[in-house]
Amino acid sequence: MIQGATLSADKPPFSPLALAQPRVRRTDLGNGSFLLQSEEALGDYAAHMGLLLKQQAAAQPDTVFLAERNGSAGWREVTYGEAWTAARNIAQALLDRGLDQSRPILILSGNSIDHALLMLGGFVAGVPVVPVSTAYSLMSGDFAKVHHIFDLAKPKLVFAEKGAVFAKALASLPRRDIEIVVSDAAPDGIQATLFSSLLQTRATQAVDARFAAIQPDWVAKYLFTSGSTGLPKGVINTHRMMSSNQQAIAQIWPFLQESRLVLLDWLPWNHTFGGNHNFNMVLRHGGTLYIDDGKPAPGLVEKTVANLREVSPSIYFNVPAGYAMLIPHLEKDDALCRRFFQNLNMIFYAGAALPPDLWSRLEALSIKTLGHRVTMTSSWGSTETAPLATAAHFPIERAGVIGVPVPGVQLKFVPNGAKLEIRVKGPNVTPGYLGQPETTAKAFDEDGFYCIGDACKLADEADPNKGLVFDGRIAEDFKLTTGTWVHVGGIRVAALAACSPLLQDAVVTGQDASYIGLLAWPTAAAKELPPEELARQIAEKLRAHNAAQRGSSLQVKRVLLLSEPPSIDANEITDKGYINQRATLERRHADVKRLYAEPPGDGVIVITDA
């Protein structure tokens, strides 16, 4: 274990935290390829997710499992005992309606207690759930993605908590042989069942029989992810995938056994980060999940701040955009900051996208408030890996290190041009995609490793225990018209570091152009500067950066600052928590044209030679 370890002599130590010592074995395969895996074997894990709920209900029936805002009345709370009873009753209602592995539940609503109970009922009844991004229902004109998911999943029951909000999407669905369930009133012209009637169904021995029959490789969820382009793919998530993943987390983070797990979390359950990693972690460890009705967006982050005044999390999970919007509130409100850090064991960010400025500001806040550093860490994986494949379960001094393979996971590294492509095998890896056998076949190599499309490199070539560094998406790299390759991941990280603390994040442009540009989001502090001064400072910092580089493939020549934040619902933030380069460029094609227009238009920052 690592207890209060410090890596830097000029900084206070990390807070005492029990973490498993990394022990990684490397096996060379020849031709530059090699395997990495943990020397610690994966322990036994529950055969299915319903068993975890049953175990927690038996061990601590009166502990609050789920809580959500209940208007001005405070928090609506559900204990583990109540959740177990509700899930069994819902399971009976599902069985009565003929739902099984072939006829799942489509969930259009966002995070809520009713959503959670329906999902748990599906786990208990062996019925897959299909949570769908609310953006597909609420921000679409033709509901094409909802229809695509509907046609692939073939649900027998569709849940929309607030019927009126989802009325247009519900009305667009073919309603033969499906039942619509709502928590409130049915929309005009649509026949619907009240969710309360599912809860009032009495569980019978039929539920016990189905519960006993569930196998680890039964489907628990279909999670739809668009990747970079095209219609969403239905990633099969089995009980084995999710349960084994939580066992790996338990082994690398022993501190979860020693202190009560409390989360305040907004991350949507149609994404693997919030829906698998965080929700299932609370279930596995008998913790409490406060469902945050805020999110990283203007007018909504204030709800998160209000919730943090009441809830002190033990781990805080977020994407970089979320930290960028939260940190200014912590910096200007000492009482909020003390509340935030009061019980905090760990700060977790997704992917490798946390800019150095945000890292240093979070670290400074923890030192100011506690006198020591709270461990900040990250991991790596995808919807197809449930999601954890690597984790940094050791102190790190900077963002970018994504850790080592967790128990049960094998990583294969294969040279791909100048990079090392990484591939994954383990009980946490998906068997494939719903209704897409050809896509499934292409996703795996000849040895059965899932080809995730990412590149990584060793932080220390001589010691794999020092972890891996994310090295971008293989498919994101492109050539300039000069024929020179641009390695997007490296350019992005270097440009953000050069511009610190002015840029929160960026995407790299330049395909079919002769020079590199950036579409970038300024930090909250940068937005307080006059536009002309902000542009001057960015140009000055990038001019110095360019002077230290050789060649067009490393120099940034133009920047366009964006006001609209990256959208997780629009797939601009991936399920791994970093910016989806290709999807963002496609969605913001007009901004790319502005960036390269001749002569440069208003708002385009041109970096001249030093």
Side-chain angles (χ1 to χ4, degrees):
M1 306 297 180
I2 296 173
Q3 302 286 347
T6 180
L7 296 181
S8 177
D10 60 349
K11 291 183 180 180
F14 291 97
S15 54
L17 192 64
L19 299 169
Q21 188 74 32
R23 295 185 297 118
V24 178
R25 180 169 67 250
R26 173 172 175 160
T27 304
D28 289 314
L29 302 176
N31 299 319
S33 298
F34 59 92
L35 297 177
L36 291 184
Q37 63 188 94
S38 173
E39 292 186 348
E40 181 177 353
L42 182 67
D44 294 336
Y45 49 88
H48 62 85
M49 298 302 293
L51 281 169
L52 295 179
L53 178 59
K54 180 180 181 180
Q55 291 164 4
Q56 297 298 351
Q60 46 181 349
D62 299 325
T63 296
V64 174
F65 173 20
L66 300 165
E68 69 180 357
R69 279 291 184 190
N70 190 17
S72 60
W75 295 88
R76 173 193 173 192
E77 298 178 342
V78 173
T79 66
Y80 278 96
E82 291 167 341
W84 172 240
T85 298
R88 281 174 47 78
N89 289 346
I90 292 169
Q92 183 66 56
L94 299 177
L95 296 180
D96 290 346
R97 288 161 168 78
L99 275 74
D100 55 23
Q101 280 281 288
S102 67
R103 297 302 301 272
I105 304 162
L106 194 72
I107 300 178
L108 300 183
S109 297
N111 302 2
S112 71
I113 285 179
D114 286 357
H115 178 158
L117 294 178
L118 184 56
M119 176 170 59
L120 294 166
F123 290 168
V124 170
V127 176
V129 294
V130 188
V132 177
S133 169
T134 57
Y136 296 170
S137 296
L138 304 181
M139 299 173 63
S140 171
D142 58 8
F143 308 111
K145 290 183 178 179
V146 174
H147 294 167
H148 168 74
I149 293 169
F150 184 91
D151 291 341
L152 269 179
K154 298 178 175 58
K156 194 172 179 66
L157 187 148
V158 178
F159 174 67
E161 184 161 1
K162 297 179 180 178
V165 173
F166 291 88
K168 291 183 179 179
L170 291 172
S172 75
L173 295 176
R175 276 170 274 163
R176 291 184 302 171
D177 197 30
I178 67 164
E179 181 177 7
I180 293 172
V181 176
V182 297
S183 292
D184 52 11
D188 291 341
I190 296 177
Q191 184 176 354
T193 301
L194 289 178
F195 181 74
S196 57
S197 68
L198 305 187
L199 292 172
Q200 292 162 4
T201 308
R202 296 296 179 187
T204 70
Q205 291 183 348
V207 171
D208 299 328
R210 176 64 67 85
F211 189 82
I214 298 172
Q215 298 298 308
D217 292 322
W218 281 25
V219 180
K221 292 180 181 179
Y222 295 109
L223 289 179
F224 278 81
T225 175
S226 294
S228 298
T229 59
L231 289 168
K233 295 179 294 185
V235 182
I236 299 168
N237 275 231
T238 66
H239 288 273
R240 184 190 303 279
M241 289 170 61
M242 297 193 296
S243 184
S244 67
N245 215 226
Q246 289 303 316
Q247 176 59 31
I249 292 173
Q251 290 179 224
I252 63 171
W253 289 355
F255 73 88
L256 290 172
Q257 313 294 331
E258 301 173 0
S259 60
R260 175 143 185 79
L261 177 61
V262 176
L263 299 188
L264 175 73
D265 193 33
W266 69 271
L267 289 155
W269 295 343
N270 62 284
H271 278 259
T272 189
F273 188 2
N276 280 357
H277 189 279
N278 298 354
F279 184 94
N280 291 347
M281 183 186 298
V282 172
L283 177 59
R284 169 66 171 77
H285 294 279
T288 300
L289 172 59
Y290 289 86
I291 300 170
D292 185 4
D293 56 345
K295 65 187 303 185
L300 291 175
V301 70
E302 291 80 7
K303 291 187 175 184
T304 295
V305 170
N307 291 334
L308 283 171
R309 295 189 191 282
E310 299 183 32
V311 179
S312 296
S314 61
I315 306 177
Y316 194 66
F317 295 99
N318 217 325
V319 295
Y323 286 113
M325 299 197 76
L326 176 62
I327 287 172
H329 292 274
L330 297 175
E331 289 175 330
K332 67 185 180 184
D333 189 330
D334 288 343
L336 174 67
C337 196
R338 287 194 299 271
R339 187 71 169 162
F340 178 73
F341 283 103
Q342 180 177 325
N343 300 314
L344 200 62
N345 291 316
M346 178 181 284
I347 294 172
F348 185 104
Y349 66 94
L354 192 69
D357 172 60
L358 297 184
W359 177 283
S360 61
R361 290 164 69 188
L362 279 169
E363 192 171 73
L365 285 168
S366 71
I367 294 170
K368 172 188 171 184
T369 307
L370 302 174
H372 58 253
R373 291 184 286 171
V374 171
T375 297
M376 289 195 285
T377 191
S378 186
S379 66
W380 170 87
S382 70
T383 307
E384 289 85 349
T385 62
L388 198 69
T390 73
H393 49 97
F394 48 87
I396 55 178
E397 292 282 9
R398 61 183 176 86
V401 177
I402 58 171
V404 295
V406 299
V409 169
Q410 275 191 319
L411 302 179
K412 181 199 282 187
F413 294 81
V414 180
N416 188 326
K419 294 190 174 187
L420 280 173
E421 179 187 346
I422 187 171
R423 303 174 183 179
V424 190
K425 181 188 283 189
N428 61 316
V429 174
T430 183
Y433 299 98
L434 175 63
Q436 294 183 288
E438 292 184 2
T439 302
T440 297
K442 292 177 182 177
F444 296 88
D445 71 10
E446 64 280 3
D447 297 318
F449 283 81
Y450 169 60
C451 302
I452 199 168
D454 287 350
C456 288
K457 56 187 177 183
L458 292 169
D460 183 341
E461 286 287 342
D463 185 2
N465 291 299
K466 297 292 180 61
L468 300 166
V469 176
F470 182 73
D471 199 23
R473 295 280 295 166
I474 296 294
E476 286 179 350
D477 292 349
F478 59 83
K479 282 186 178 181
L480 297 171
T481 54
T482 59
T484 305
W485 274 103
V486 174
H487 298 299
V488 167
I491 289 292
R492 180 189 154 278
V493 170
L496 290 176
C499 291
S500 179
L502 301 177
L503 298 185
Q504 173 186 314
D505 217 325
V507 293
V508 179
T509 66
Q511 186 158 354
D512 300 323
S514 60
Y515 56 87
I516 295 170
L518 297 178
L519 297 182
W521 291 271
T523 61
K527 292 176 185 178
E528 296 178 2
L529 295 171
E532 297 81 5
E533 176 61 16
L534 175 58
R536 186 194 67 78
Q537 290 191 26
I538 290 174
E540 182 179 300
K541 288 174 178 288
L542 285 175
R543 192 175 298 115
H545 164 80
N546 289 347
Q549 311 301 321
R550 291 184 178 179
S552 59
S553 66
L554 300 172
Q555 297 177 348
V556 177
K557 295 296 187 179
R558 290 190 182 183
V559 179
L560 178 63
L561 298 181
L562 303 174
S563 56
E564 181 196 10
S567 168
I568 196 167
D569 286 330
N571 202 39
E572 290 187 315
I573 298 177
T574 73
D575 50 325
K576 301 172 203 172
Y578 60 81
I579 298 297
N580 186 329
Q581 169 89 8
R582 183 171 295 180
T584 302
L585 292 177
E586 185 175 298
R587 181 169 181 258
R588 300 174 189 262
H589 178 68
D591 292 321
V592 177
K593 289 184 68 175
R594 282 181 59 202
L595 183 63
Y596 286 92
E598 293 294 352
D602 292 341
V604 176
I605 303 170
V606 178
I607 294 84
T608 57
D609 292 337

